[in-house]
Amino acid sequence: MDERIAAKRDVDWKKTGYLFLGIVLFAVVYWSPAWPDAVDPLGKHFPLSRESKGAIAVFLLAGTWWVFEVVPIGITSLAIGVLQALFLIRPARDAFTDFMVPSVMFIFASIVIGLVFTKTGLTRRLAYKMLVIVGEKTSMIYLGCFIVTAALTHIMAHTAVAATIYPLLLSIYALYGEGDQKTNFGKGLFMGMAYVAGAGSIVTLLGAARGAVAVGFFKEIAGREISFFQLTYYMFPIGWMMTLALWGFFMVFLKPEKSSIPGLREKARQLSANLGPLTRNEIKAAVIVGACILTMMLREFIPVLKPVDKTAIILISSILFFMTGIMDIDDLEAIPWNIILLFAGAMSIGNCLWQTGAANWMAVNWLVMFQKANWFVFVMSIAFFVMIMTNFIMNVAAIAISLPVALVIAPYLGVAGEVILFAALVTAGMPFLLLVGAAPNAIAYDSRQFTTGEFFLYGIPASIILMIVTGFAVFVLWPLMGMPVLSGGLQKSESIGVPPKADQLYYNCPIG
C-alpha cells in the first residue's frame, strides 16, 4: 500500500502535462478542417493535403516532446516514425528508412571515432597539451576550446569535429573537480562546443554539406557561380565574429563557478608526461582517422573522388578500428544509441515535411508576407525562417524550400541573390534551439550537463545574437566587402527572369 502511495507521489505532473500537450497539438492539427492554400508571387497554389497537415501535426508533437524531454529523446524519434505509419502520413517503409540514411550513419561513425580517441588515450593527451597552453583561467579554457573547435570545422565536417572534441572536453571537465555534477562551466563547455562547431562550419565548403549543396542550388536558379574562396571570403569574418560573440555569451550567461583552477597547468603538464610516448593503438587510430579526414577533404578538389560518398569514407574508419583490434564487440555497447535515434528521428520528420509538401506550404506562407517589405526586412525574414526551420529539418532542406521563393520575390524589391544565399547559409549553420538541429548539439547532450529545456532557453538569446550579427553583415559588412546587395529591380510589367531550371528545382528539389 505504501509503495502505491509513493508511486503516485513520484508522478511528474509537469512532464505529464507537456506529454499530453504534444498529443493535443497533434490531434487538433491532424483532425482540423482543411487549411487554405499557400499562393506564391507567381500565382501558383500550394494546397495542404491531409498528409501535409499530418506532417505538421507530428512536427508539433515531436518539438514539444523534445524541448520538454517528456520521454527519452530517442523514444520521441521512434514516435515520429510510428505516427507517420499509423496515420498513413507516409508509408512505414519511407518513415523508418530515414532512420538509417547516410547522414545518420555518418553520425554513428563520428561517435565511434570519439570513442576510439577516448579508449586509446589520444583525447587525454590532446587535452593536457591544450591546458598547458591556455593556462588555469576558466575563461581562457572556454576560449581555447572554442577556437580549436571552430578552426577544425574549416577543414573537416562539424559532426566529425564535435565527435573528436567531445571526449577531449570530458577530460578537461574531469580536472574541474566537480565529478559528474552539473555546473555552469560544464554547461558552457559542452553547449559552447556545439554552438561554435556550427559557427565555424559556415566558413568553408568543408565544414558541412549544406554549403556545397546550396551553392550548386544557387547556380541552377540564379545562373551565377559562387567559388570556394569567394564563400570563405564573405563567411570568414561572420564565423569568427560569432565564435567570439558566443564566448562572450557563455561568459555572461554561464560564467564558470571558478575563475581559475589553481595548479591546473602544472597538473596537466605532469599528467601529460605520465602518459609517456604514443602507444601503438594511438598511432593506428590517428593514422586511420587522419587518412579518412584527408580523403574527405580531397573530395572537394579531386574530381575522381567526388562521386565517393563521405559516409562510406568515414565508415571505413569504424571497420578498420575492429580489424586492427583497437575496438572489440564490447565497445559497441558504449555507443549512445539514444543520440543516434535522436538524429534519425530528425531526418524522418524533416523528410516527412519535405515530401508531403508541408515545408513548401510553410515557406510560401511566410515569405509572401514580406513581398512588399523593405529589402533589408525581406532578407532578414528569409534568414529568420531558415534559422527556425533548420532546428527541425535538414539545413539543406530549409535553404532549398526558401531560396526559390525568395529569389522569385527578390527582383521586385531590387535585392541581389547573393545576399539572400549568404544570409540563409549563416543562419542555416547555427541551430541553437533544439538538439535535433545539428549533430554537434546531440553529441554535446551526451555529457548530461544540460537538459533539452535548458538548451532551448539558452538558445533563444544566442539566436538573437545570431540575427544581430547576420543583420550587421547584410546591412554593413558585406556591402563594404564588395558583395552585391541591391540590384536594379523589376517593374511589374517586366519578366521575373528566373532561369527555367529554377521552377523545376522550386517544386522538385530533393533534400540531398
Side-chain angles (χ1 to χ4, degrees):
M1 188 71 176
D2 291 339
E3 288 179 5
R4 289 180 184 176
I5 294 171
K8 286 182 180 180
R9 286 175 181 168
D10 287 341
V11 173
D12 188 335
W13 292 109
K14 184 182 287 187
K15 188 174 283 190
T16 304
Y18 288 128
L19 187 147
F20 281 103
L21 173 62
I23 295 171
V24 169
L25 286 172
F26 173 87
V28 168
V29 171
Y30 185 78
W31 280 293
S32 63
W35 295 3
D37 295 357
V39 184
D40 75 3
L42 295 177
K44 182 172 178 67
H45 283 250
F46 290 79
L48 195 70
S49 64
R50 179 192 64 81
E51 292 82 5
S52 305
K53 200 143 55 72
I56 294 174
V58 175
F59 172 75
L60 292 172
L61 178 142
T64 304
W65 285 13
W66 270 327
V67 169
F68 299 106
E69 209 170 348
V70 297
V71 292
I73 52 180
I75 300 304
T76 297
S77 292
L78 290 178
I80 288 170
V82 169
L83 288 170
Q84 290 177 62
L86 284 180
F87 289 88
L88 308 180
I89 297 167
R90 274 202 308 164
R93 183 181 182 85
D94 293 344
F96 289 110
T97 297
D98 289 338
F99 278 65
M100 290 296 283
V101 294
S103 294
V104 176
M105 296 309 295
F106 191 94
I107 303 301
F108 168 82
S110 298
I111 289 173
V112 170
I113 288 174
L115 291 174
V116 164
F117 272 39
T118 301
K119 182 176 181 178
T120 59
L122 270 173
T123 50
R124 289 196 304 275
R125 193 179 295 276
L126 292 169
Y128 300 153
K129 293 288 186 186
M130 181 178 160
L131 289 172
V132 169
I133 295 169
V134 300
E136 301 175 353
K137 287 188 175 180
T138 48
S139 60
M140 290 298 102
I141 295 173
Y142 264 174
L143 184 61
C145 292
F146 294 175
I147 287 176
V148 170
T149 301
L152 285 175
T153 57
H154 296 354
I155 59 171
M156 57 191 279
H158 69 329
T159 301
V161 172
T164 303
I165 292 291
Y166 172 73
L168 184 146
L169 298 186
L170 287 176
S171 297
I172 290 173
Y173 187 68
L175 298 174
Y176 191 61
E178 298 296 332
D180 294 330
Q181 225 177 338
K182 291 182 180 180
T183 63
N184 283 349
F185 181 66
K187 290 175 185 176
L189 200 60
F190 290 97
M191 274 198 282
M193 178 274 290
Y195 286 9
V196 168
S201 71
I202 70 171
V203 174
T204 74
L205 291 175
L206 302 176
R210 84 183 84 86
V213 173
V215 166
F217 189 69
F218 178 78
K219 182 182 177 181
E220 292 291 332
I221 295 177
R224 296 189 295 279
E225 191 163 356
I226 304 293
S227 71
F228 183 97
F229 297 104
Q230 187 181 0
L231 180 135
T232 299
Y233 171 70
Y234 289 121
M235 288 300 208
F236 185 87
I238 308 307
W240 282 100
M241 200 180 298
M242 276 303 300
T243 298
L244 295 175
L246 288 168
W247 174 55
F249 168 80
F250 284 108
M251 283 305 300
V252 171
F253 285 86
L254 286 169
K255 187 175 181 179
E257 294 83 356
K258 304 173 185 177
S259 59
S260 65
I261 310 174
L264 179 63
R265 175 174 275 157
E266 188 55 40
K267 185 176 181 181
R269 191 176 281 118
Q270 182 182 347
L271 289 169
S272 180
N274 291 344
L275 289 174
L278 285 169
T279 64
R280 182 177 297 178
N281 276 349
E282 284 179 295
I283 294 170
K284 286 192 290 187
V287 169
I288 291 169
V289 174
C292 288
I293 291 170
L294 181 62
T295 305
M296 286 191 287
M297 288 170 56
L298 292 175
R299 283 177 69 247
E300 299 297 324
F301 305 102
I302 300 177
V304 73
L305 290 176
K306 271 192 180 292
V308 183
D309 187 82
K310 68 180 187 299
T311 302
I313 295 170
I314 198 170
L315 278 170
I316 290 173
S317 66
S318 299
I319 297 169
L320 289 174
F321 292 147
F322 286 90
M323 288 176 63
T324 55
I326 298 173
M327 299 188 80
D328 54 44
I329 188 68
D330 294 333
D331 293 315
L332 286 175
E333 296 179 6
I335 293 173
W337 295 104
N338 190 41
I339 302 303
I340 293 170
L341 278 175
L342 166 69
F343 202 72
M347 295 299 298
S348 185
I349 187 59
N351 281 324
C352 182
L353 287 166
W354 177 269
Q355 292 173 10
T356 60
N360 269 339
W361 183 88
M362 289 189 284
V364 172
N365 268 324
W366 173 258
L367 291 177
V368 294
M369 291 193 296
F370 301 92
Q371 62 184 315
K372 294 182 180 178
N374 172 273
W375 74 269
F376 178 73
V377 174
F378 175 66
V379 173
M380 294 306 293
S381 73
I382 298 162
F384 180 79
F385 177 81
V386 172
M387 182 186 74
I388 296 300
M389 290 303 293
T390 199
N391 278 280
F392 288 93
I393 65 177
M394 282 185 68
N395 42 44
V396 172
I399 291 171
I401 62 177
S402 56
L403 268 185
V405 187
L407 290 171
V408 166
I409 300 171
Y412 284 112
L413 301 176
V415 180
E418 282 81 356
V419 73
I420 292 172
L421 171 70
F422 281 97
L425 275 174
V426 168
T427 54
M430 289 177 259
F432 295 155
L433 297 171
L434 295 180
L435 297 180
V436 296
N441 298 358
I443 290 169
Y445 174 77
D446 197 44
S447 68
R448 296 183 176 84
Q449 281 293 313
F450 56 88
T451 64
T452 55
E454 286 175 323
F455 191 88
F456 179 80
L457 289 175
Y458 287 114
I460 294 172
S463 296
I464 292 171
I465 292 171
L466 172 60
M467 290 302 295
I468 292 170
V469 170
T470 305
F472 171 74
V474 168
F475 199 76
V476 179
L477 183 61
W478 286 338
L480 288 175
M481 296 175 70
M483 180 188 291
V485 173
L486 297 177
S487 64
L490 291 175
Q491 301 300 319
K492 291 291 180 183
S493 60
E494 290 184 289
S495 167
I496 287 175
V498 180
K501 284 187 180 180
D503 186 64
Q504 181 184 350
L505 284 166
Y506 188 171
Y507 306 119
N508 301 316
C509 178
I511 284 180

